[in-house]
Amino acid sequence: MSHPLDNPVRAALLGPQAHLAEGHGAVLRFPPDVCPFLGLPDEPDLAAWHDAAHLLGPGALILYTLDATPPPGWEVNDIGAGVQMIDVSMRAAPDPEAVRLTAADVPEMLDLVARAKPGPFLPRTIEMGTYLGIRQGGTLVAMAGERMHPPGWTEISAVCTDPAQRGQGLAGRLVRAVAAGIRARGERPFLHTLADNTNAIRLYERLGFEIRRTVAFRAVRIPVGAPAPRPSEADEPVA
C-alpha cells in the first residue's frame, strides 16, 4: 500500500474527510468552494481522466499533485515544483494570543489571503479543520489552519501574515499552535510549499520540519468536448 502522504488528497477523501467527498467513477473531489485539489487514483488511466471530465465539466481546471499525464489535447500548466514537509522535532505549543476563527471571520480571512497570498483559501475552506488567528488592534494580521486529513496526518495550510506585520514571528507561533491541536488528536503535522519559497522552507526547518519529498503542482484544463466515460465506468463505485 502507498503511504497516505503519497496521494494525500485522495487519502483524505477516502478517509477522515469522506463526508466532504464528491465523486464520479474513480475520481473524488472536495466541493469547489472548499478545496480545489482533485483526488485522482495513484496512476490514473484514461477512464479516470474521463471521470474527472464528467465530474468537473468541460473547461474546468483540475489541480493535482501527482506525476500523472492527462490525455492528449488537455491543456497542462505546471504551477511549480513544491516540497512536502513533515514534522520531526517541532516544539508544538498553544499560543495565548491565538484565537479560533469561525465562519464569521471568513471575510477577514479572505482579505488577509488576498494580501499575503499563501495559496488556495476559499469561502468554505474553514470547514476542513481548525483555523487560528492573531489580531492586532482588532485586525486579523496572521493565521494558519488545517486542510487535508489523510489517515494519521493533518496538513497545516494557509500560513500567512499581513505584509505590514511580518518579522514578528507570528507565522511560527501559529504553526506551533495549530500543530499542538493536531498532536493532541494523536496525529502528525505535514505541509506543502513551493520549492522556490526558500524563506518559508527555512522557517519550517527551524520549527522542526524536514522535506519528505518533492511534488509537482499541476493545473490541467478539461477541453470542451472531452469524451464522457462509458456508463459501466461511470457507475462503478470508488475503490
Side-chain angles (χ1 to χ4, degrees):
M1 295 180 64
S2 63
H3 192 283
L5 297 191
D6 291 343
N7 191 350
V9 183
R10 188 171 181 83
L13 287 167
L14 285 172
Q17 290 173 311
H19 63 287
L20 291 171
E22 300 175 353
H24 183 85
V27 174
L28 294 165
R29 73 168 180 181
F30 292 98
D33 54 355
V34 172
C35 181
F37 290 102
L38 190 69
L40 290 163
D42 292 347
E43 298 180 0
D45 58 13
L46 183 60
W49 290 108
H50 291 175
D51 288 340
H54 183 101
L55 181 62
L56 277 72
L61 194 66
I62 296 174
L63 298 182
Y64 66 99
T65 60
L66 295 175
D67 184 14
T69 303
W74 291 39
E75 179 186 348
V76 180
N77 295 295
D78 282 340
I79 299 172
V83 293
Q84 183 184 83
M85 306 185 74
I86 58 174
D87 167 29
V88 293
S89 61
M90 183 166 42
R91 299 192 312 276
D95 189 282
E97 290 190 74
V99 297
R100 177 139 186 191
L101 301 173
T102 70
D105 299 303
V106 167
E108 272 192 285
M109 298 168 77
L110 291 170
D111 183 65
L112 176 59
V113 165
R115 298 194 308 276
K117 304 185 185 308
F121 183 87
L122 302 168
R124 292 178 54 206
T125 301
I126 196 169
E127 296 178 22
M128 300 184 76
T130 299
Y131 280 79
L132 301 178
I134 291 177
R135 296 182 180 276
Q136 292 181 351
T139 300
L140 183 67
V141 297
M143 73 176 195
E146 302 173 357
R147 189 167 63 179
M148 287 183 282
H149 296 257
W153 298 81
T154 294
E155 181 190 27
I156 297 178
S157 182
V159 180
C160 60
T161 302
D162 187 306
Q165 306 298 331
R166 289 175 181 166
Q168 303 177 45
L170 302 180
R173 289 166 54 189
L174 285 171
V175 168
R176 286 192 290 268
V178 173
I182 294 170
R183 286 194 182 164
R185 298 194 301 266
E187 298 174 350
R188 189 171 172 186
F190 76 105
L191 53 82
H192 295 96
T193 191
L194 290 173
D196 62 2
N197 192 348
T198 54
N199 289 336
I201 292 172
R202 282 196 294 266
L203 167 65
Y204 296 136
E205 288 177 336
R206 286 198 302 270
L207 289 173
F209 286 84
E210 68 177 24
I211 294 174
R212 176 178 180 265
R213 68 184 182 104
T214 59
V215 297
F217 295 112
R218 288 181 173 155
V220 174
R221 182 77 62 182
I222 300 172
V224 175
R230 295 184 295 274
S232 61
E233 293 168 345
D235 296 336
E236 289 178 358
V238 172

